[in-house]
């Protein structure tokens, strides 16, 4: 168990802020080694402990935002879903030829792992895909695999590499050095393959001249309307400060973050005048983050604000964050924490794609921009839908003010970087408090701000229209991963049911001895000391599977 816990902790160091990406391989390898008993219950417990080592430190920002109980509850829930995956692997590896170390078992483990990540990404309450292995690789060569098939392929590659690293260590201990060398080569080949993928960053339909304004929030305990007004004034001031660097009319658009004004300028005359003052001074539209309240709840909107005309287009967030922006099962959850009532008005999901068309007179056309708000960046399909429907650039407006100086913002930046590569689009993450960044289509960070500062970024970013293989494949990699995992798991269950029927038939016919085990692994399980699984280490098996 200590080995599993250490593996989870090491895996967490692969994510921001440390970003020691090779540690993801080491952490997964320790998990694989800890899973060597032939017991689904043991595998579930090991996976749970490993995942606690990952999620408890990784999600510490939830403690900053909501307190100890929600932080630990979220960590435990995610760990339990990882345990489902490791239990499924314990059953899957009983399939003949998957109960050894080698490329085929490594591929099966990678598939099961990616399928388990998909479970976390979709359930419960719409899923919580945070801490997918793919998001640990933004500083490493595997990032480019996102261009081929998105986050599922990157996560599967990390899982594959962790498995083959564990196999290498086991083979060395067993003095199977030739097999160890070949297995180690498979581990090394993955990063080399990723590094060999060329990524195009050139403009395909012109460039967009933009500014991104990080206005910051008050550094005291000011709350309510006064705080909201200060935040709005900060973003107006940051926008006007751009005039020291550009002339009116030089920019195609100015980007503000999510909740740049909690005072809806559509409903408040003073807020209207403040936003329009900034837009007219720059002679450029502003993408404004605000809330819209109706009797049934509220929407989280990004408005396109044209100078003198006001809001001409609005996108409403499609995936509100459960327990952060709306409270599922509110009466039940309140039994455990009164903190749920801090979210007094539930957010309502929008129904339209995350695209805002920005009229750019210089290009004589509308430029469709993907505007995924805050946590929406973590959901694969939402961003892909916007790109497939024509988005030429990605903007991630976010508000990280509740998370203090934790790694939440840089974790989100890693996701934005992966999305840039996955879709071949320049990407801008713009936050109220940071970290904000401008990202090239190859995932490299061109500019970056610091936390809790006022800052502005200027850039002319390439507009791109071609679809990456990941965009063209769409949901098929995920469907294939889940389907193949289920086939492997079901094949084992069918074998188990067949063996049980033979046992019952043998008993009914009066046989006194046990039925013949149905597989090599079952034969080993009937031997003394079979409570610990000992993988096959034959050279031919380790290299040919």
């Amino acid at each position: 168990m200590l080995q599993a816990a250490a593996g989870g902790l090491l895996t967490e160091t692969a994510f921001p802020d440390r970003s020691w990406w090779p540690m993801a391989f080491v952490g997964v390898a320790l998990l694989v080694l800890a899973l060597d008993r032939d017991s689904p219950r043991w595998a579930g417990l090991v996976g749970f402990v490993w995942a606690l080592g990952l999620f408890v430190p990784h999600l510490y920002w939830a403690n900053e935002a909501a307190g100890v109980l929600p932080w630990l509850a979220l960590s435990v829930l995610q760990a339990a879903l990882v345990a489902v995956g490791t239990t499924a692997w314990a059953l899957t590896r009983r399939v003949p030829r998957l109960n050894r170390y080698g490329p085929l078992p490594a591929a099966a483990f990678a598939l099961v792992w990616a399928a388990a990540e998909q479970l976390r990404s979709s359930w419960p309450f719409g899923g919580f895909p945070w801490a997918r292995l793919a998001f640990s690789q933004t500083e490493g060569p595997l990032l480019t695999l996102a261009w081929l098939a998105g986050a599922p392929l990157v996560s599967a590659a990390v899982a594959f590499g962790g498995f083959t690293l564990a196999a290498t260590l086991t083979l060395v201990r067993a003095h199977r050095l030739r097999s160890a060398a070949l297995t180690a080569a498979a581990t090394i080949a993955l990063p080399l393959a990723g590094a060999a993928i060329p990524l195009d960053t050139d403009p395909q339909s012109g460039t967009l001249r933009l500014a991104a304004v990080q206005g910051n929030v008050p550094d005291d305990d000011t709350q309510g309307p006064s705080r909201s007004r200060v935040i709005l004034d900060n973003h107006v001031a940051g926008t006007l400060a751009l005039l020291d660097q550009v002339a009116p009319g030089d920019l195609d658009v100015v980007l503000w973050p999510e909740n740049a004004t909690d005072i809806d300028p559509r409903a408040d005359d003073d807020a209207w005048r403040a936003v329009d003052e900034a837009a007219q001074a720059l002679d450029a539209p502003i993408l404004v983050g605000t809330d819209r309240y109706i009797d049934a709840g509220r929407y989280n909107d990004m408005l396109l604000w044209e100078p003198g005309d006001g809001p001409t287009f609005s996108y409403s967030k499609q995936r509100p964050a459960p327990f952060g922006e709306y409270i599922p099962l509110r009466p039940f959850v309140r039994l455990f924490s009164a903190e749920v009532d801090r979210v007094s008005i539930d957010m309502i999901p929008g129904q339209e794609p995350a695209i805002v068309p920005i009229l750019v007179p210089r290009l004589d056309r509308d430029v469709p921009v993907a505007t995924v708000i805050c946590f929406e960046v973590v959901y694969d399909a939402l961003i892909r839908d916007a790109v497939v429907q024509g988005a030429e650039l990605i903007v991630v407006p976010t508000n990280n003010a509740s998370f203090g100086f934790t790694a939440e913002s840089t974790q989100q930046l890693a996701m934005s970087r992966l999305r840039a590569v996955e879709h071949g689009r320049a990407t801008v993450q713009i936050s109220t408090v940071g970290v904000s960044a401008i990202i090239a289509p190859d995932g490299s960070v061109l500019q970056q701000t610091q936390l809790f500062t006022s800052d502005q970024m200027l850039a002319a970013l390439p507009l791109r229209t071609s679809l990456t293989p990941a965009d063209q494949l769409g949901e098929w990699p995920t469907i294939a991963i889940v389907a193949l995992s289920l086939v492997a798991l079901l094949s084992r269950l069918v074998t188990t049911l067949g063996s049980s029927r033979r046992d019952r038939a043998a008993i009914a016919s009066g046989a006194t001895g046990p039925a013949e085990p149905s597989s090599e692994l079952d034969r080993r399980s009937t031997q003394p000391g079979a409570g610990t699984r000992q993988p096959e280490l034959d050279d031919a098996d380790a290299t040919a599977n």
Side-chain angles (χ1 to χ4, degrees), residues 245-317:
Q245 304 176 68
V246 299
D250 283 353
L251 297 174
D252 300 318
V253 67
V254 177
L255 307 177
W256 285 10
E258 175 191 29
N259 301 127
T261 172
D262 284 334
I263 305 171
D264 186 355
R266 294 164 294 191
D268 185 276
D269 291 341
D270 289 339
W272 176 293
R273 285 190 290 270
V275 176
D276 201 56
E277 172 193 355
Q280 294 205 51
L282 270 294
D283 190 20
I286 302 177
L287 196 60
V288 180
T290 189
D291 283 346
R292 173 165 55 98
Y293 291 85
I294 62 173
D295 291 341
R298 62 190 172 106
Y299 290 96
N300 188 343
D301 288 348
M302 292 303 297
L303 307 178
L304 182 64
W305 193 283
E306 293 287 352
D309 294 329
T312 60
F313 194 90
S314 175
Y315 163 69
S316 298
K317 187 176 187 179

Side-chain angles (χ1 to χ4, degrees), residues 62-425:
N63 174 56
E64 184 76 19
V68 173
L69 185 60
W71 163 46
L72 294 179
L74 180 60
S75 300
V76 168
L77 173 61
Q78 296 305 304
L81 294 174
V82 171
V84 172
T86 53
T87 301
W89 167 243
L91 295 170
T92 301
R93 72 181 179 190
R94 292 179 173 182
V95 175
R97 302 197 68 77
L98 294 186
N99 54 14
R100 307 166 183 175
Y101 284 124
L104 182 58
F109 177 79
L111 288 172
V112 172
W113 184 274
E117 283 196 346
Q118 186 58 31
L119 171 65
R120 289 203 303 112
S121 300
S122 55
W123 186 87
F125 309 117
F128 185 73
W130 224 269
R132 294 163 78 180
L133 291 180
F135 299 142
S136 71
Q137 297 301 300
T138 51
E139 296 293 343
L142 290 184
L143 176 62
T144 54
L145 295 179
W147 180 81
L148 287 175
L153 178 60
V154 181
S155 286
V158 177
F160 182 95
F163 191 99
T164 55
L165 178 59
T168 300
L169 296 173
T170 302
L171 291 164
V172 167
R173 288 203 303 262
H175 305 292
R176 301 288 197 257
L177 299 184
R178 185 174 74 89
S179 296
L182 292 173
T183 308
T187 307
I188 297 171
L190 280 172
L192 293 177
I197 298 174
L199 298 178
D200 186 10
T201 62
D202 292 336
Q204 295 174 326
S205 54
T207 59
L208 192 70
R209 300 172 184 170
L210 60 82
V213 177
Q214 177 179 305
N216 205 6
V217 300
D219 58 3
D220 54 26
D221 293 329
T222 302
Q223 297 296 328
S226 297
R227 180 181 179 86
S228 298
R229 183 69 204 200
V230 171
I231 295 171
L232 171 57
D233 290 345
N234 285 353
H235 286 88
V236 170
T239 302
L240 296 177
L242 291 168
L243 292 171
D244 294 334
Q245 304 176 68
V246 299
D250 283 353
L251 297 174
D252 300 318
V253 67
V254 177
L255 307 177
W256 285 10
E258 175 191 29
N259 301 127
T261 172
D262 284 334
I263 305 171
D264 186 355
R266 294 164 294 191
D268 185 276
D269 291 341
D270 289 339
W272 176 293
R273 285 190 290 270
V275 176
D276 201 56
E277 172 193 355
Q280 294 205 51
L282 270 294
D283 190 20
I286 302 177
L287 196 60
V288 180
T290 189
D291 283 346
R292 173 165 55 98
Y293 291 85
I294 62 173
D295 291 341
R298 62 190 172 106
Y299 290 96
N300 188 343
D301 288 348
M302 292 303 297
L303 307 178
L304 182 64
W305 193 283
E306 293 287 352
D309 294 329
T312 60
F313 194 90
S314 175
Y315 163 69
S316 298
K317 187 176 187 179
Q318 300 172 71
R319 300 291 294 269
F323 304 102
E325 294 172 322
Y326 76 99
I327 306 298
L329 310 174
R330 185 183 289 267
F332 174 75
V333 176
R334 189 184 289 113
L335 297 175
F336 300 93
S337 175
E339 292 295 314
V340 299
D341 292 325
R342 292 173 59 182
V343 183
S344 57
I345 301 177
D346 284 341
M347 188 174 292
I348 304 170
Q351 303 299 320
E352 299 300 322
I355 298 178
V356 173
I358 299 173
L359 176 62
V360 181
R362 181 175 56 83
L363 299 177
D364 194 28
R365 66 182 181 91
D366 284 338
V367 173
V369 173
T371 52
V372 288
I373 301 175
C374 197
F375 280 22
E376 288 188 322
V377 71
V378 81
Y379 296 102
D380 298 346
L382 192 148
I383 307 172
R384 183 175 58 247
D385 288 347
V387 171
V388 170
Q389 293 187 46
E392 300 176 30
L393 182 136
I394 299 172
V395 176
V396 185
T398 183
N399 177 15
N400 310 109
S402 299
F403 305 115
F405 287 91
T406 66
E408 189 276 341
S409 187
T410 47
Q411 290 171 6
Q412 216 170 359
L413 177 57
M415 300 170 195
S416 295
R417 294 179 64 184
L418 184 138
R419 300 309 182 190
V421 174
E422 180 179 6
H423 304 293
R425 299 293 189 268

